[in-house]
Amino acid sequence: MIRYGDAALTLAAGLTAGTAQAAPTIEGLLKDGWEIVGLAGNYDVRTSLLLFRKKDVTYLVQCSTLYDVTRDKRVVVNCYELH
């Protein structure tokens, strides 16, 4: 049985290990030849998801975007690989 503290440490270790490689950016993906194959937006037009694929790659990349007027950095983008 995994206790809450153990699960949190395992998750933190995984996140730390995963951050060694820089996260992809939308600009970088487009420059590297990735193409947009899917787009989903929210009704309030503040959030959206973009799905990218590349011809010779076996996984997809998904980017979520958020526009938040309450933040100092108003546009927040998070891209990650989907294996």
Side-chain angles (χ1 to χ4, degrees):
M1 181 173 169
I2 298 176
R3 296 179 315 208
Y4 175 74
D6 295 338
L9 288 174
T10 302
L11 178 61
L15 290 175
T16 305
T19 57
Q21 181 182 3
T25 63
I26 293 173
E27 295 85 1
L29 291 168
L30 293 173
K31 285 180 185 176
D32 289 342
W34 290 78
E35 60 181 318
I36 298 173
V37 294
L39 173 66
N42 197 341
Y43 74 94
D44 62 2
V45 194
R46 292 185 302 151
T47 60
S48 61
L49 292 172
L50 294 122
L51 190 63
F52 293 87
R53 77 169 176 191
K54 191 171 181 180
K55 185 177 181 179
D56 298 329
V57 179
T58 60
Y59 60 89
L60 301 172
V61 174
Q62 181 170 300
C63 295
S64 63
T65 62
L66 168 69
Y67 182 78
D68 188 350
V69 297
T70 64
R71 296 183 183 209
D72 189 27
K73 182 180 174 188
R74 293 183 188 259
V75 178
V76 179
V77 179
N78 182 24
C79 297
Y80 40 91
E81 297 174 357
L82 301 173
H83 290 270

